[in-house]
Amino acid sequence: MKDDSLVIGGRSFGSRFILGSGKYSLKLIEAAVRDAGAEIITLAVRRANTKEKENILDYIPKNVTLLPNTSGARNADEAVRIARLARELGCGDFVKIEIMRDSKYLLPDNRETVKATEILAKEGFVVLPYMYPDLNEARALVSAGAAAVMPLASPIGSNKGLCTKEFIQILIDEIDLPVIVDAGIGRPSQACEAMEMGAAAIMANTALATAGDLPLMAAAFKRAIEAGRLAYLSGLGRVLTRGASASDPLTGFLCD
Amino acid sequence: MENSFFVDSARLSPKALEIKHRLESDPSSRKNHMEYMEGMQRIDSDVCKNVMAHFDSYDPSAYTAADVKAALTRTGCGIEDFKALLSPAAEPFLEQMAERARLETSRHFGNTVYMFTPLYIANYCENYCVYCGFNCYNDINRLKLSPEQIENEMRVIAESGMEEILILTGESRSQSDVAYIGEACRLARKYFRLVGLEIYPVNVDEYAYLHGCGADYVTVFQETYDTVKYESLHLLGHKRVWPYRFDAQERALMGGMRGVAFSALLGLSDFRKDALATALHAYYLQRKYPYAEMSLSCPRLRPIINNEKINPRDVHERQLCQILCAYRIFLPYVGITVSSRESASFRNGIVKIAATKVSAGVSTGIGDHESKYTGKEAEGEHGDEQFEISDGRSLFTMYSDIEREGLQPVLNDYLYV
C-alpha cells in the first residue's frame, strides 16, 4: 500500500489518532500515548503554565508533537496571546485554537476563531482550529490560513458520538484541508465511523479519561481508527435500499 | 441544640453594650436591610427576582420519593428535578445521587482536583453579624497586614508550591480600602498564577480596578437568601444591605472578572431553601453571562473565638453530601469548592463524588503563615481567626492524599489574559 501519512503543516504523521491529555492522571499519559500509537498530543497551555513539580510537559514523551490549545480564551485576542505564550513555553509552532464564550457547553465561537487563525497563521503558526461544523466558516478558515479544521462531533466531553455527522460529511466533501473530528467521540466504533466517512484523523480525550482502563481504551481507539481509515481507502461496499443480494448470483447455474 | 449567637465582651463600654443590646433586642433600632446605603451602586437586573420567586415558593416537604426517582432517571436535570433532589424525600437515595454526581463530575472534570489556599490580610470589620468571629463587637486581636507583611506571607505560601490564592479581608472599607486590596492583588500576581478575592461587595468600577490589579475571581457569600432571617443576623453595617450583596457577583462580572463564586452559610436558615437559591443564583447569572465561570461553595457554621456553641445545627455530613450531589447533578459544569471547615475524611470522600476544588495549608488568622508553615517563632503580632478550621492538612499532605485516592491534584489551570 502506498504511503498514507497524515500531513499537517508540511509534517507527516503515521498515526491518525490525536490524543488529549486532560482529565486524567499525569502518570497515565505515557502509557496512553504508547498504546494509542499517537504522534500528536494536545495540552492546555493554561495547565502547562505552572511552577508545579509535576508539569504536564514533563510527562509527555519527547518524540510526540505537542498541540497546545488555547482553552480559556474567550475571544481572538486572548487566543492569540495564549498561542504566543505556548511558543515561548517551548511547545512549538502547532496550535489548536479553542475559543469559547460559553462556560456551560464550551461550544466554539467560529467567528472569533477565524480572526485568531488569520493572525496566527501570518505569524507562522500551524493553526488547527476547533470549530462548529459550518461550511461557510470552514471556508473562511481555509482562507485565513488554517492547516486543518477540527469540527466537533457532539458537545465536548459528552461521548455522544457523531451528532453532527451530516455536516462533518459536507466539510469532508468540500474542504481541501484535513478534517479532524474533535470533541464528543465516545467510542471506538464512532471513531471508526468518522474515519470511514473520510475524516483525516480523530481527536479524543474524555472517551479515554472516563473509560474503565485508559491505556486499553487507547489501544481500542487506535485499532478502530486504523480500521476506519482502511475502509475509507478501500471504498465501502454499497448499501441496498431494499431486498437482499446473494454473494453468489442466484442465476449462476445457468449454462447457455 | 439551638445556636447561642449573642456574646458580650467585658471590654465593651457601657454605651457600646447598650447599643449592642438594643440592636439585638429591638428590630426597630436597626436600619432597613433592603434599602441601599449611600455609594452603593444599583444595577438593572432580573436575576434576583427570578431566584427569589423559586425560593419563596419552594416547599421541600412537598416532594415525594417518586419525584426523586423521576429526577434521577431523567437525562439532564431541570429546576423541578433539582428541588426534588434537595428535599428530605431524596435522603434515602443518597447513594444513587452520589453515583450520578460522580458520573457528571468525571465527565466534566475527569479526575482532577484543584487546590488553593486562602490568605486573610486583615480582620477589621464594621459589621455586626452575630455568628462571625470577625464581628465588630467580638473581642479578638485585630490586625491589618502591611504590604511588606503581605508579601512575606505570600512568599512563604508560594514556597510551599501553592499557585492559587484567595485574598480575604474582614468587611471594613475604612481599614481595608479598595486601593489596599488592589496592592495585595498586585503583590499576589508576583507569586501566584491565580488570584481570587473574598472581600466586601464593591461597585462595578471598583471590581474593574481590582481586576486590573490581577484578580480574576470573586467570591461573595450571601449567607442566607431568607431576607427576614438575614435581617435578624446582620444587625449593623453595610453588610446589612441584602440586595446590594446579592448583586455583587453580577457587578464583578460587569467589572471584567472571569468567574464568580456563591454560597449560603448552611445552617443559618432552612438549608434546603438556601441551597436552592445558591444554585439558582449561579444558574440565572450563567444564562445572562454565558462566558463566566461559576463556582459553588458549601460552608457550614463553625465555632468562633468566644463562642464555641455555634454549629451547623441540622446540616450533618449526610445533608451536606446530599446538597453537593444535587448541585453537581443540576449544574454539572460548575466548580464546587469544599473548604477546611470540613473534616479530612469528608473532603477525601467528596472529591471523589462532586467537589472539584479544596483548600490546603489553611489559616483563617492574620499574619501567621510563616509560623504555621515553617515552625518559626512568630515575631510580630497576629490577628485572630474568623472561625476554627477542621482540616489542617498542609499542601504536601493534601496533595499526596488526593493522589492516593486515584485523583490528579492540579495547582494551576489558568492564565491571566
Side-chain angles (χ1 to χ4, degrees), chain B residues 55-191:
Chain B
F55 179 87
D56 291 336
S57 62
Y58 179 43
D59 174 7
S61 67
Y63 292 83
T64 64
D67 297 326
V68 178
K69 278 186 201 160
L72 283 172
T73 45
R74 223 188 300 281
T75 309
C77 178
I79 293 176
E80 276 307 305
D81 297 321
F82 179 49
K83 287 175 177 171
L85 295 177
L86 283 176
S87 74
E91 284 194 13
F93 297 89
L94 190 55
E95 191 61 27
Q96 289 99 308
M97 285 176 69
E99 276 170 21
R100 170 85 180 267
R102 184 173 64 170
L103 213 71
E104 298 290 357
T105 306
S106 133
R107 195 171 290 154
H108 287 262
F109 297 90
N111 73 338
T112 52
V113 180
Y114 300 92
M115 300 175 73
F116 78 105
T117 206
L119 174 63
Y120 286 73
I121 58 172
N123 63 359
Y124 286 92
C125 192
E126 290 158 8
N127 300 286
Y128 181 26
C129 310
V130 299
Y131 54 84
C132 177
F134 285 173
N135 87 63
C136 64
Y137 287 121
N138 200 24
D139 180 18
I140 59 167
N141 286 326
R142 302 282 174 177
L143 189 68
K144 169 189 171 185
L145 297 181
S146 66
E148 294 72 34
Q149 289 170 313
I150 293 174
E151 185 155 7
N152 189 47
E153 290 275 283
M154 288 177 174
R155 197 181 298 117
V156 170
I157 295 169
E159 277 168 9
S160 77
M162 196 60 85
E163 300 196 9
E164 173 175 346
I165 197 157
L166 176 67
I167 297 173
L168 297 96
T169 62
E171 299 206 4
S172 170
R173 253 185 194 272
S174 60
Q175 288 288 341
S176 319
D177 62 19
V178 171
Y180 168 70
I181 296 166
E183 178 63 23
C185 294
R186 283 203 193 90
L187 290 169
R189 284 287 300 148
K190 284 167 59 180
Y191 294 93

Side-chain angles (χ1 to χ4, degrees), chain B residues 17 91 136 140 146 183 208 219 249 288 297 310-311 321 323 330 338 342 390 394 409:
Chain B
L17 270 177
E91 284 194 13
C136 64
I140 59 167
S146 66
E183 178 63 23
T219 297
Q249 284 91 347
K288 196 166 173 184
S297 298
I310 294 179
N311 66 72
C321 183
I323 293 169
F330 178 50
V338 179
E342 303 306 332
S390 173
S394 66

